[in-house]
Amino acid sequence: NAGVTQTPKFQVLKTGQSMTLQCAQDMNHNSMYWYRQDPGMGLRLIYYSASEGTTDKGEVPNGYNVSRLNKREFSLRLESAAPSQTSVYFCASSEGGVRGYTFGSGTRLTVV
Amino acid sequence: GDSVTQMEGPVTLSEEACLTINCTYTATGYPSLFWYVQYPGEGLQLLLKATKADDKGSNKGFEATYRKETTSFHLEKGSVQVSDSAVYFCAVNTGGFKTIFGAGTRLFVKA
């Protein structure tokens, strides 16, 4: 029972480089989310996908793009990384927000 | 807008001590309330939840009661263990696709 799988677990980028964070869930959930976690700020929503084929901006979408490839997969892309994007990124999925979320183990990204 | 405020940490306790982590929220309508736990190097895990006023969520010895009159959802445990050392997040969802998380409270339990 894998749940939510994120890759990679760690990544170091140079300013201006691009990369895609991958996320896949095997629970047949409709909704998927990308959060970033920064010290003292809790989790902030970057983008979410209510269902396959739809995506919407969250609280901090600038500098990011997403793709809901199919029901299982939801990727996050940084087109031109900046040091301010150094963070831990979490993907989550849910079958309705009131049921709570299942989180992946995170990607620790450092932009130098 | 919706918001969650939880007590700042870190909280340091001795094993078998009582734990209370305060959480208050601001939200319209009838939100659902959650506590998540994050162990070192891991993602968040749902610990417990409550979906309506006066409901009590419980799991692994932890409890929290949905108090609409005080807009609070404080996390309690009667006797903590070293293995409870983690970061605890309070969260609120008003029925849409956005859950708001508190800043987290780090708990250290000493043997």
Side-chain angles (χ1 to χ4, degrees):
Chain A
N1 53 344
V4 177
T5 303
Q6 291 184 236
T7 56
K9 292 190 180 302
F10 301 93
Q11 185 70 50
V12 178
L13 292 179
K14 294 182 179 179
T15 298
Q17 287 185 319
S18 63
M19 80 161 295
T20 300
L21 282 64
Q22 306 288 351
C23 175
Q25 52 95 6
D26 62 1
M27 296 168 289
N28 204 37
H29 286 167
N30 281 315
S31 306
M32 297 186 74
Y33 308 81
W34 277 105
Y35 282 88
R36 60 178 288 172
Q37 182 180 31
D38 300 293
M41 302 188 73
L43 277 75
R44 292 182 292 170
L45 182 63
I46 304 171
Y47 271 93
Y48 69 99
S49 171
S51 60
E52 184 178 357
T54 69
T55 61
D56 283 287
K57 295 179 180 179
E59 181 184 357
V60 289
N62 291 345
Y64 306 95
N65 286 300
V66 291
S67 295
R68 183 74 182 267
L69 305 171
N70 47 56
K71 191 170 186 179
R72 290 186 64 249
E73 298 173 285
F74 187 39
S75 62
L76 178 71
R77 182 161 178 84
L78 287 70
E79 291 290 353
S80 178
S84 61
Q85 294 178 306
T86 293
S87 187
V88 181
Y89 291 85
F90 287 102
C91 178
S93 71
S94 176
E95 194 49 62
V98 298
R99 299 190 184 189
Y101 294 173
T102 300
F103 282 86
S105 58
T107 296
R108 183 173 296 274
L109 175 68
T110 302
V111 183
V112 298
Chain B
D2 299 344
S3 66
V4 176
T5 302
Q6 59 183 108
M7 64 188 289
E8 290 190 26
V11 174
T12 302
L13 296 173
S14 297
E15 206 165 25
E16 299 184 2
C18 295
L19 168 71
T20 299
I21 300 178
N22 292 333
C23 172
T24 58
Y25 66 91
T26 301
T28 56
Y30 301 92
S32 293
L33 306 176
F34 306 86
W35 278 100
Y36 287 82
V37 59
Q38 183 180 32
Y39 299 104
E42 298 183 10
L44 280 70
Q45 301 174 25
L46 180 62
L47 180 60
L48 54 84
K49 68 178 182 181
T51 57
K52 61 182 187 296
D54 300 325
D55 267 3
K56 177 184 285 187
S58 62
N59 187 22
K60 299 181 181 179
F62 291 89
E63 294 182 338
T65 301
Y66 189 144
R67 301 287 187 199
K68 192 166 179 64
E69 64 276 14
T70 55
T71 62
S72 65
F73 193 54
H74 305 321
L75 183 67
E76 299 176 326
K77 188 174 186 183
S79 176
V80 295
Q81 305 300 312
V82 172
S83 57
D84 293 326
S85 297
V87 181
Y88 293 83
F89 292 89
C90 185
V92 59
N93 178 285
T94 53
F97 293 98
K98 298 181 183 180
T99 293
I100 306 300
F101 289 84
T105 301
R106 184 175 296 276
L107 171 66
F108 291 105
V109 180
K110 302 181 296 183

